[in-house]
Amino acid sequence: MSAAAAPMRLDERIARHRAELSPQERRAADTLLENLDDLATYRAAELADLAGVSKATMSRLFRSLGFAGFDEVRDHLRTLRSSGLPQRVEGTPDMEALAASEAAHVAAAISQPGIADAVEWIAAADQVLILGWRGSYSVALNLRHQLMQARGHVTVGPVPGQAVGEDISSLGPGSVLVVYGFRRRPRLFGSLLAAAAATGAKVVLIADPTAITHVAHVSLWLECQVETTLAFDSYAAAATLTSVIADGVLSRLGSAAHDRVSRIASAYEEIGEVE
């Protein structure tokens, strides 16, 4: 059975087959688990040395777990990384190359022509709802913070203890929903977008390429790459795109937005909230 045919993670395979392994293979399996975060950066011979077993034992372990060899294990780990699982698969990252890659991702994100539509819709909306989950939530919260400087009636969710349906039910033809949908999205994601679109609201999806299956339900898709050579996804492009959208809304609303900025600054001073 190949790794491609079995989506079960490596650690799950080890747990399932552990009772069938020889003592030497169990020692080798324990070494794989101890080094799981950067396993793909090793060679098979290095892992055998770490475990204190022969290369033949390590090869038998791979076959027992359903892999043809360590190259297939690496492919399996890359597949998991592409789904958003945090782990390093390319060795120690080259920081100069990483910076160049991030810059390219940012440039691609902020050069999309659809940004103008997003800005126009958000500036003119009766209300703006912003949704994000897990890592996406921090970016959603940042957009809410920035838009609130320029206009009112901006909310973010999901709020703890509140169902998302409560937010969606308030949407209508004059509303805009901005959804951050980076990989490892909640299972309700597709049905949520469909329900939001049915309200007549404009739906803006900001997401990485894995969200392409959901594009049919949205008014606009703004793509942001999050994958890097690091173990965790990067939201640098998404954060920059967020600032570009908020800046556009501030500019679009003109004097009304700048008056609001002044009132907020005065409120900060009056209550001593900000240094």
Side-chain angles (χ1 to χ4, degrees):
M1 178 170 52
S2 70
M8 188 183 300
R9 297 192 316 271
L10 179 60
D11 57 325
E12 293 175 321
R13 296 185 190 205
I14 291 173
R16 171 169 289 192
H17 295 284
R18 189 173 186 85
E20 306 162 11
L21 302 178
S22 70
Q24 290 292 90
E25 288 172 338
R26 289 181 188 177
R27 182 189 301 176
D30 289 342
T31 297
L32 297 187
L33 293 174
E34 290 167 4
N35 295 278
L36 197 57
D37 289 342
D38 56 355
L39 188 61
T41 68
Y42 289 90
R43 294 191 299 270
E46 292 174 326
L47 290 169
D49 288 342
L50 280 175
V53 301
S54 67
K55 289 187 287 186
T57 296
M58 189 63 73
S59 295
R60 283 197 302 272
L61 172 63
F62 296 146
R63 290 194 296 272
S64 297
L65 298 177
F67 298 102
F70 192 50
D71 286 343
E72 196 166 300
V73 174
R74 283 198 183 95
D75 290 341
H76 169 71
L77 295 173
R78 289 190 179 97
T79 298
L80 294 178
R81 182 67 192 94
S82 295
S83 71
L85 194 73
Q87 60 185 19
R88 186 181 293 174
V89 297
E90 300 296 343
T92 302
D94 179 331
M95 291 303 169
E96 185 174 341
L98 174 65
S101 175
E102 289 280 59
H105 291 164
V106 168
I110 65 176
S111 63
Q112 298 174 91
I115 294 173
D117 288 334
V119 167
E120 186 67 28
W121 297 344
I122 292 171
D126 296 334
Q127 63 167 327
V128 179
L129 171 62
I130 309 164
L131 295 177
W133 293 261
R134 307 181 70 252
S136 301
Y137 185 77
S138 61
V139 195
L141 195 61
N142 191 37
L143 179 61
R144 190 262 179 188
H145 166 72
Q146 294 184 9
L147 288 181
M148 281 295 292
Q149 308 299 305
R151 55 155 298 153
H153 305 292
V154 181
T155 55
V156 68
V159 177
Q162 179 176 333
V164 179
E166 297 168 4
D167 292 313
I168 298 301
S169 66
S170 68
L171 297 175
S175 308
V176 170
L177 170 64
V178 180
V179 183
Y180 287 90
F182 298 109
R183 57 196 187 183
R184 307 192 90 181
R185 294 172 287 274
R187 293 188 182 279
L188 57 76
F189 196 78
S191 57
L192 178 147
L193 291 179
T199 68
K202 297 286 189 184
V203 181
V204 178
L205 173 62
I206 300 176
D208 65 282
T210 64
I212 193 168
T213 56
H214 299 293
V215 172
H217 296 304
V218 305
S219 312
L220 175 65
W221 176 34
L222 295 175
E223 182 178 325
C224 279
Q225 184 59 261
V226 295
E227 185 165 346
T228 71
T229 54
L230 301 177
F232 292 90
D233 288 346
S234 168
Y235 297 101
T240 304
L241 175 60
T242 293
S243 293
V244 168
I245 291 172
D247 178 84
V249 172
L250 182 72
S251 178
R252 176 68 181 79
L253 292 176
S255 60
H258 290 292
D259 288 346
R260 180 177 175 85
V261 169
S262 296
R263 293 196 301 274
I264 291 172
S266 296
Y268 288 161
E269 293 177 2
E270 182 176 346
I271 65 178
E273 188 175 18
V274 176
E275 290 184 354

